[in-house]
Amino acid sequence: MNPEAQALYEDMKIHLGKFVPDFELYYKAEIAVEINALKKERNAVILGHNYMEPVLFYSIPDFKGDSLDLSRKAATTDKDVIVFCGVKFMAETAKILNPSKTVLLPAEKAGCSLAESITAEDVRALKRKYPGVPVVTYVNTYADVKAESDICCTSGNAIAVVESLKSDTVIFLPDKYLAGNVARETGKHIIFPSISPSPIIASSGGEMRKGDEENLLDVQLIGWNGRCEVHEKFTVEDIRAVRKQFPDVAVLTHPECPPEVVAEADYSGSTNAMIKFVQQSNAPHFLVLTECSMGDNIAAANPEKDLLRLCMVRCPHMNMITMENVRDSLLHNRQVIEVPEEIRVRAFQAVDRMIKIG
Ligand code: SF4
């Protein structure tokens, strides 16, 4: 093993040795050294989402964080190449913000169930149905959907973005549960209109089957039926079962979880906000209901904290990003993300407005 890889292995052993077997640390330390050399050669920056697997997350990103953080980093980088260790909509956002840079996504098929739940034509249909109503889209959407929107949001700033519009009614797409949680927090009523794939009406986060939503007088959020295939799987029963065994556990949820799960938890926030909560809280145990690599990453960074595992769901899309394909993306310049200029310019306005709100 070369000395650089040996030093990296020893460092990773200290921080990740509880989660990752030695042979994997050895193997990946050598790849990390190759990646770091390629990064220099290509004048590249590597952005790593909080859901990356622990060794990759620990060893190669120049910047780590949630979608909003990484969008901000992407907007200010002076490097020629951006390698996005995340999923396609994130790499597209980096390209939207940096049209002159080469943006690489190491796994071509790293998608997202939320991004795939809605098309630009769906948004245009909603705008025809509700003319003049502003459209907020979650950043977990593709560029052509962002281009149809007035402003984007992340899970961390969704409420601030909705409130910034100062509009009685807002179209909020595409995450049904994030919309439900925004409605719950703000006391707004929400409908999921009939052009949605599976019509449902909900009020303040609680659902009822569709009647005639046009008769509702106080509609304030118009949602969509998209769901994160990871966060939708957590249940209230999961939380109650863990509390039975660990009554003093602090339960943290992501706002992409169903509203009743969020209501049962002690705290809900973006991935970054959850990390901060764990760092600042003295709770004897933590249960973090989100993508399971993030639990490992928080535990690695906070060895004095007791992170309980309810790791039943690894995001299959995030899981496609590996050390090997990050190295190959730099080596062979793949997969290059392109966004047609006409779409990019309109999507940029929506993303830029979001970044300015913070
Ligand atoms: S965790 Fe959910 S929202 Fe995030 S990329 Fe995976 S499917 Fe999409």
Side-chain angles (χ1 to χ4, degrees), residues 1-8 29-30 33-34:
M1 190 178 241
N2 82 34
E4 201 184 333
Q6 180 69 34
L8 182 56
E30 286 184 334
V33 169
E34 283 181 70

Side-chain angles (χ1 to χ4, degrees), residues 157-276:
N157 65 13
I159 292 171
V161 166
V162 167
E163 287 176 346
S164 77
L165 294 170
K166 310 221 179 313
S167 172
D168 288 343
T169 302
V170 169
I171 298 173
F172 188 97
L173 308 169
D175 186 346
K176 166 187 169 179
Y177 293 139
L178 180 60
N181 283 313
V182 169
R184 200 176 68 88
E185 287 279 319
T186 57
K188 290 183 187 301
H189 286 169
I190 181 168
I191 63 163
F192 295 87
S194 52
I195 63 164
S196 164
S198 152
I200 289 170
I201 296 180
S203 177
S204 298
E207 283 184 14
M208 45 191 177
R209 279 286 133 190
K210 181 180 179 293
D212 181 3
E213 73 269 17
E214 306 304 344
N215 290 337
L216 291 179
L217 299 177
D218 54 352
V219 168
Q220 288 144 324
L221 277 188
I222 297 163
W224 190 251
N225 203 19
R227 293 182 300 266
C228 163
E229 67 192 89
V230 173
H231 292 99
E232 71 173 345
K233 293 200 171 70
F234 295 111
T235 65
V236 169
E237 289 67 41
D238 293 334
I239 298 178
R240 290 186 183 155
V242 174
R243 282 202 204 281
K244 215 170 180 185
Q245 191 181 354
F246 300 95
D248 44 7
V249 65
V251 179
L252 288 69
T253 57
H254 192 281
E256 289 167 14
C257 291
E260 65 275 15
V261 172
V262 170
E264 188 77 15
D266 300 298
Y267 179 77
S268 177
S270 67
T271 54
N272 270 15
M274 288 194 279
I275 292 169
K276 220 177 261 169

Side-chain angles (χ1 to χ4, degrees), residues 49 51 86-87 89-90 110-115 138 140 175 227-231 254 256 290-291 314-318:
H49 190 266
Y51 292 166
V87 292
F89 74 80
M90 297 177 179
C112 168
S113 63
L114 275 173
Y138 195 24
N140 299 32
D175 186 346
R227 293 182 300 266
C228 163
E229 67 192 89
V230 173
H231 292 99
H254 192 281
E256 289 167 14
T290 187
E291 207 278 345
R314 177 86 177 99
C315 171
H317 312 284
M318 294 283 183

Side-chain angles (χ1 to χ4, degrees), residues 29-49:
E30 286 184 334
I31 303 180
V33 169
E34 283 181 70
I35 292 171
N36 288 334
L38 286 163
K39 193 161 73 172
K40 263 192 208 143
E41 196 181 298
R42 298 217 45 200
N43 193 29
V45 62
I46 297 183
L47 306 180
H49 190 266

